[in-house]
Amino acid sequence: MIQLSDAEIKKRCENDSVYRRGLEYYLSGRIHNFTYNKDGTVFQAFVMGTSLYRVMVQRYHGELYTSCTCPAKAKYGGDCKHIAAVLMYIKNNQAEIEDNLKNKVAYDLFKEFEEREYIPDDLKQPVNIEVTLESDQLNTSLSLRMGIDKLYVVKSIKKFFDDIDEGMVVEFGKGFSFDPSVNTFKDEDMKLIKFLREIYEIDRINTENSYYRVDSVISGKYVRLTPSNLEKFIELMKGSHFNLVLDGKSYYDVDVAFEDLPINFKLEKGNNGKNLRLIVEEIEKVRALDRKGNFFVYNGKIYKISDKQRFALVPFYNMYITNSTNSVVFTEKDKQKFAEIILPKIDKAGSIVIDEDVRSDFYNEPLVVKIYLDKEGERITADINFTYGEYNINLYDDAKTKIKHNC
């Protein structure tokens, strides 16, 4: 058991001011989760200062060793105010501590409850998180950096979750360590952490319990995303920013837009004056984030496009990827086929501008259905007309049908 006096505690402090501040901390009840070993030689407590700091006190071969996670302890030689407060707590509760040590059953029970002491997250220090999404032709994966003043790479995401589940401190370097009893995650990052934890737990079950060799989706600092998990990630990052590395090119503070791409088409005469040239403007700036074409990157922003745009845009995107061209020429003999198959679909992919010298080659009016009801005695009759600009078609009365012979 450690024997202490006020004079000894004061002597250990860097100066009198530190001792007085330690006394204030002790009297104001800033000491939390005070524990000790069964021999009464090692003590641990958490002291609330500017942040929540961990204090260790140990008697070894007659010498007293102390440590604290605060910056002052590392900077100065003597004990800090947090250590002084814990030493005062030990000195003033010595009789109670000795009684507990004599009763091992009681000690074990106390220890059980003390280890279960709940420290609210609002007393813990939140860490900053930076997430990077990396995608190429083969894989899409996530990686993390975290820290307080400086960000450090999470080199093994699997080990990170393993360690914090065991309550272990995860060391990142001299400047930062993640202690589950002291650190927590910000509210806005909790959805991401829960998402990664779910992948981690499923992956652990699959790799540990399978009779056959199963490749892990977590490898070092990377978490590989399936198409469905990529969609979940994009959804939960709505309103947040992250980094993106796409085919080796980096984008920072990427935003997610749940809207269609602002794609513009231009239809003009070909070089010979008879052919047509369709141009997909700035398609070279568009990149698909997944194989299905659910997500595209344009001007540093990720777009979650509609099914309608994806249906019509993907063929033009594939045209550019395959042929490295943003335009296609239709010969005079293919004009009619272009007008029937492609032109009606373009408005689903984006907006189109048709040059004046081309516009006269196409007739584009909305089809309007007109129904006229009439009562003839006890009967009600219906006259149905399909109107397309200046043309009218009546399926039941040829006299009301108006169609040019060269249509």
Side-chain angles (χ1 to χ4, degrees):
M1 179 63 192
I2 296 175
Q3 306 293 328
L4 291 167
S5 66
D6 289 332
E8 289 175 311
I9 297 173
K10 189 173 184 179
K11 184 178 179 181
R12 294 182 59 86
C13 293
E14 179 68 19
N15 51 53
D16 291 346
S17 176
V18 172
Y19 175 80
R20 288 193 298 271
R21 292 290 289 152
L23 180 59
E24 291 175 9
Y25 273 36
Y26 165 66
L27 294 176
S28 59
R30 294 186 178 226
I31 298 173
H32 303 278
N33 199 17
F34 178 77
T35 59
Y36 44 90
N37 66 354
K38 63 181 180 179
D39 300 320
T41 56
V42 180
F43 297 81
Q44 176 180 277
F46 291 89
V47 181
M48 176 53 68
T50 305
S51 297
L52 194 63
Y53 299 115
R54 182 175 58 182
V55 172
M56 295 288 294
V57 178
Q58 181 178 9
R59 175 75 75 182
Y60 184 72
H61 291 312
E63 295 292 331
L64 190 63
Y65 297 90
T66 58
S67 65
C68 180
T69 56
C70 74
K73 176 59 177 173
K75 186 175 181 181
Y76 303 108
D79 286 343
C80 63
K81 56 192 174 185
H82 312 104
I83 295 175
V86 173
L87 292 178
M88 293 174 193
Y89 187 94
I90 295 172
K91 180 186 79 69
N92 294 325
N93 292 275
Q94 187 168 333
E96 181 182 347
I97 295 171
E98 288 178 346
D99 287 342
N100 289 337
L101 291 175
K102 292 175 183 177
N103 187 339
K104 187 179 183 304
V105 175
Y107 170 80
D108 290 341
L109 188 59
F110 287 140
K111 182 181 178 182
E112 181 76 16
F113 276 96
E114 285 164 351
E115 290 177 349
R116 291 173 175 266
E117 182 175 342
Y118 173 70
I119 299 178
D121 282 345
D122 56 5
L123 292 179
K124 298 180 180 180
Q125 186 174 26
V127 299
N128 298 312
I129 290 181
E130 178 189 80
V131 57
T132 298
L133 179 68
E134 298 188 34
S135 182
D136 55 31
Q137 295 180 351
L138 299 176
N139 293 306
T140 300
S141 57
L142 289 178
S143 61
L144 295 178
R145 295 203 306 159
M146 67 174 61
I148 297 176
D149 298 322
K150 177 183 176 182
L151 298 180
Y152 297 82
V153 175
V154 182
K155 295 181 179 179
S156 174
I157 291 180
K158 181 179 182 300
K159 187 176 185 303
F160 176 77
F161 282 118
D162 285 342
D163 288 348
I164 63 175
D165 282 352
E166 295 295 327
M168 297 173 60
V169 177
V170 184
E171 299 288 347
F172 284 85
K174 294 181 179 179
F176 173 66
S177 60
F178 185 94
D179 187 338
S181 62
V182 175
N183 300 117
T184 186
F185 301 103
K186 295 180 179 178
D187 290 341
E188 58 266 31
D189 294 326
M190 285 305 300
K191 288 184 178 180
L192 173 65
I193 296 300
K194 289 179 179 178
F195 168 72
L196 293 175
R197 175 174 284 281
E198 181 179 342
I199 295 176
Y200 154 79
E201 291 176 350
I202 294 174
D203 183 70
R204 185 175 62 182
I205 292 174
N206 290 338
T207 54
E208 291 180 356
N209 297 339
S210 176
Y211 178 79
Y212 300 99
R213 182 180 180 275
V214 177
D215 290 335
S216 173
V217 298
I218 303 178
S219 177
K221 68 176 184 177
Y222 292 110
V223 177
R224 194 166 68 249
L225 298 183
T226 63
S228 60
N229 277 335
L230 173 62
E231 189 160 356
K232 288 181 182 178
F233 169 76
I234 297 294
E235 291 283 347
L236 69 87
M237 294 301 289
K238 184 178 182 180
S240 302
H241 293 85
F242 56 93
N243 298 332
L244 171 67
V245 179
L246 180 60
D247 295 329
K249 185 176 181 180
S250 297
Y251 305 85
Y252 299 97
D253 292 328
V254 174
D255 190 17
V256 178
F258 287 75
E259 59 190 50
D260 284 345
L261 282 161
I263 296 295
N264 297 309
F265 294 82
K266 184 178 180 181
L267 187 63
E268 61 184 19
K269 288 282 188 180
N271 293 333
N272 62 3
K274 295 181 180 181
N275 298 338
L276 293 176
R277 177 184 291 109
L278 179 66
I279 303 171
V280 190
E281 297 180 342
E282 295 195 331
I283 191 66
E284 67 277 3
K285 295 182 179 180
V286 176
R287 285 291 182 273
L289 190 58
D290 66 322
R291 296 178 182 178
K292 292 183 177 180
N294 290 315
F295 304 99
F296 285 88
V297 179
Y298 175 66
N299 284 343
K301 181 185 288 188
I302 294 177
Y303 286 82
K304 171 69 168 71
I305 66 174
S306 65
D307 292 340
K308 180 179 74 172
Q309 187 180 48
R310 183 172 65 254
F311 165 78
L313 179 62
V314 167
F316 293 108
Y317 177 77
N318 290 339
M319 174 195 77
Y320 171 76
I321 295 298
T322 303
N323 303 287
S324 298
T325 180
N326 69 337
S327 65
V328 56
V329 174
F330 299 96
T331 62
E332 187 174 12
K333 68 181 181 64
D334 289 329
K335 281 185 180 180
Q336 184 65 31
K337 193 171 185 180
F338 166 77
E340 293 175 356
I341 298 177
I342 296 179
L343 186 58
K345 307 294 192 306
I346 290 180
D347 65 340
K348 295 180 176 63
S351 60
I352 183 170
V353 175
I354 302 177
D355 283 358
E356 288 299 327
D357 55 350
V358 177
R359 190 178 297 275
S360 59
D361 293 346
F362 298 95
Y363 190 82
N364 185 20
E365 293 284 347
L367 179 64
V368 179
V369 180
K370 297 179 180 179
I371 302 176
Y372 301 94
L373 300 176
D374 194 14
K375 185 175 182 181
E376 296 180 358
E378 297 298 323
R379 298 185 305 166
I380 295 178
T381 61
D383 191 27
I384 304 175
N385 294 268
F386 298 91
T387 302
Y388 185 64
E390 62 182 280
Y391 305 110
N392 188 76
I393 299 175
N394 190 301
L395 300 179
Y396 306 102
D397 190 345
D398 290 341
K400 297 178 180 180
T401 296
K402 180 184 178 184
I403 300 179
K404 288 183 179 182
H405 294 293
N406 62 351
C407 178

